[in-house]
Amino acid sequence: MTRRFTVRTLALALPLVALPLVAVEARQALRQSAPVPAPAALTQSRGVVDSYVRQNRAPGVVAAIGLGQTTTILKAGKLSFEGAAPTADENTLWRVYSMTKPITAMAAMILIEEGKLKLDQPISDFFPAYKNMRVLTDPDKSLESVPAKNQITVRHLMTHTAGLGYTIVTKGPLLAEYEKNGITPFTSTVGAEVQARKVRPPSLRAFAERVATLPLIAEPGTKWSYSIGLDVLGAVIEKASGMPFDSFLQTRIFTPLKMNSTYFQVPAADASRLITGYAFFGENPIPIDPGAQSAYLQPPSFPYGGAGLVMSAADYDRFLHMLQNGGELDGARVMKPQTVALALSNLLPAGVTYPGAVPNTGGAPGPSQGFGAGGSVYLVDIPGGPSKGTYGWGGAAGTIAWVDRARQLRVTVMVNYIPGERWPLRSDFSKAFYADIAR
């Protein structure tokens, strides 16, 4: 029996009472970890950071590299292409978009650990309208649908297997329905926000309830499709915890980990730390969300669990550091080691595979990866690359992050331009980094 099958079996069977049982596996994984790498020169990694600024691919780049318990910051450039902007550093604020998803998923795992949620619990327990979902018969061409056979569960939401859509990938009539109903849980520019708020639900609860009125693109639990699942999960967390979603994140993750530069709304006093967001048109970067006038200086319609956070490289490193350490950092325990082991295992429903996503939001497709709680998970060791069990995700504006627990290391790289795949930062930096630590 393989280790993946052991974790999967426990998760499928009794997700609440089984958590203590995977402690054995967590201890074994730590015992089998490779020695913490010695401090590396990171010459090639530094070269990638410097080259992206030198070649005008980004005004500024910051990478937080964790080797064992030590963090090294690589930085270059400034907060905008225009004018005499401040230099970029570990405290610069970045729009991390979908890198919010792993944080939301870990919040749900905390509640699973506490028995307030179950991994395979139907979300209709919290929002009854989800009990009677319908599935499109031909998603690309019509809104004709049939009753769903399966209930959407917590597992489905955190692994993108609920059958929900996403405006960035959904096509056809369902995309029009999402746009008409304001199912757009993200912030981009001031102008776009003015239009989005005309139809977007005003609260997280209203958002979840409205999503339940729309059909699914696939039967729950049968297909991986990038989705608003983590946004809906935020509403479930709110119900299960009995406190606002953003308050739960602040109380249970951000404050204990001293993530003091992580926001759904950037305070006015910190606007000078927010990098300008750019859109590339060919070779030309156009400023679409200047830091000083950013849409993120205003409160969002509600906290977006799938794409809402702005944060520093130092803060995201602390989040990954907690996962690397099995749920604890600097004396603050956020999750039990067995909860982290479960969250960073392949949680896909039986028979479902992860087909891969664009490079900046999850890495290469194929049998080498599965999907855990809000992020992709390597199922095998990659020669000259990530170890089996490496977990991570990326964001629409090019940000990337992963934790390789087997080698006791973690990586966060921050840029802010769209489309995130305009430049091959994930592959460039990963190749350089693993070459550096192999020396």
Side-chain angles (χ1 to χ4, degrees), residues 121-137 143-153 156-157 161-165 174 177-178 183 207-221 227-229 232 236:
Q121 183 174 10
I123 65 170
S124 60
D125 287 356
F126 303 96
F127 294 95
Y130 283 91
K131 183 173 285 189
N132 301 305
M133 298 300 289
R134 297 185 66 85
V135 181
L136 295 174
T137 57
L143 291 174
E144 292 184 9
S145 62
V146 296
K149 300 175 183 177
N150 302 323
Q151 291 270 317
I152 295 175
T153 67
H156 297 155
L157 293 180
T161 56
L164 297 169
L174 185 60
E177 287 298 301
Y178 268 50
I183 308 304
F207 167 82
E209 291 174 342
R210 192 175 298 181
V211 170
T213 69
L214 300 173
L216 304 174
I217 62 169
E219 183 69 36
S227 72
I228 55 169
V232 175
V236 173

Side-chain angles (χ1 to χ4, degrees), residues 98 101 164-170 175 178 185 226-228 231 306-307:
S98 287
K101 290 177 170 69
L164 297 169
Y166 215 169
T167 54
I168 61 175
V169 294
T170 298
L175 173 59
Y178 268 50
Y226 207 31
S227 72
I228 55 169
D231 295 288

Side-chain angles (χ1 to χ4, degrees), residues 1-10 25 345-349 351-353 367 370 379 388:
M1 182 181 294
T2 65
R3 185 170 67 180
R4 174 187 167 196
F5 181 74
T6 301
V7 175
R8 183 180 185 78
T9 302
L10 290 169
E25 172 159 344
S345 69
N346 185 22
L347 295 177
L348 288 172
V352 178
T353 58
L379 305 178
K388 178 180 178 180

Side-chain angles (χ1 to χ4, degrees), residues 248-318:
F248 185 83
L249 293 185
Q250 187 67 54
T251 302
R252 302 301 301 274
I253 298 178
F254 303 155
T255 296
L257 295 180
K258 299 179 181 178
M259 294 168 62
N260 300 321
S261 293
T262 298
Y263 310 105
F264 283 107
Q265 176 188 1
V266 177
D270 291 307
S272 61
R273 293 197 282 144
L274 179 58
I275 194 165
T276 291
Y278 288 87
F280 268 90
F281 294 88
E283 299 293 318
N284 302 313
I286 306 300
I288 60 171
D289 193 45
Q293 297 87 36
S294 173
Y296 282 92
L297 298 176
Q298 303 300 319
S301 300
F302 50 88
Y304 311 136
L309 287 173
V310 169
M311 56 198 303
S312 67
D315 272 17
Y316 211 90
D317 175 70
R318 291 190 67 80

Side-chain angles (χ1 to χ4, degrees), residues 60-191:
V61 182
V62 175
I65 309 300
L67 300 175
Q69 301 303 310
T70 301
T71 301
T72 298
I73 301 296
L74 309 180
K75 55 189 178 182
K78 54 185 183 176
L79 272 60
S80 74
F81 283 116
E82 299 79 27
T87 56
D89 60 24
E90 61 270 30
N91 297 312
T92 296
L93 298 177
W94 312 80
R95 303 153 189 80
V96 299
Y97 288 111
S98 287
M99 273 167 44
T100 306
K101 290 177 170 69
I103 294 174
T104 298
M106 295 308 155
M109 293 302 300
I110 291 171
L111 292 173
I112 290 172
E113 178 182 294
E114 295 178 346
K116 295 177 180 178
L117 276 181
K118 298 178 183 179
L119 192 57
D120 293 308
Q121 183 174 10
I123 65 170
S124 60
D125 287 356
F126 303 96
F127 294 95
Y130 283 91
K131 183 173 285 189
N132 301 305
M133 298 300 289
R134 297 185 66 85
V135 181
L136 295 174
T137 57
D138 190 347
D140 292 337
K141 296 181 180 179
S142 78
L143 291 174
E144 292 184 9
S145 62
V146 296
K149 300 175 183 177
N150 302 323
Q151 291 270 317
I152 295 175
T153 67
V154 172
R155 179 195 299 272
H156 297 155
L157 293 180
M158 66 171 59
T159 60
H160 299 293
T161 56
L164 297 169
Y166 215 169
T167 54
I168 61 175
V169 294
T170 298
K171 301 176 182 178
L174 185 60
L175 173 59
E177 287 298 301
Y178 268 50
E179 292 174 339
K180 182 175 71 175
N181 283 276
I183 308 304
T184 54
F186 59 89
T187 300
S188 55
T189 68
V190 171

Side-chain angles (χ1 to χ4, degrees), residues 3 25-38 66-69 320-326 340-341 344-345 377-382 385-392 402-411 433-434 437:
R3 185 170 67 180
E25 172 159 344
R27 289 193 294 270
Q28 291 174 342
L30 289 174
R31 284 199 298 269
Q32 295 168 0
S33 295
V36 175
L67 300 175
Q69 301 303 310
L320 295 182
H321 200 166
M322 176 272 292
L323 295 178
Q324 177 188 304
N325 288 354
V340 175
L344 273 55
S345 69
V377 179
Y378 277 92
L379 305 178
V380 296
D381 291 324
I382 304 299
S387 307
K388 178 180 178 180
T390 295
Y391 165 94
W402 70 89
V403 56
D404 186 338
R405 294 186 71 206
R407 296 186 184 176
Q408 288 290 284
L409 57 83
R410 59 198 182 275
V411 174
F433 172 70
Y434 282 102
I437 66 170

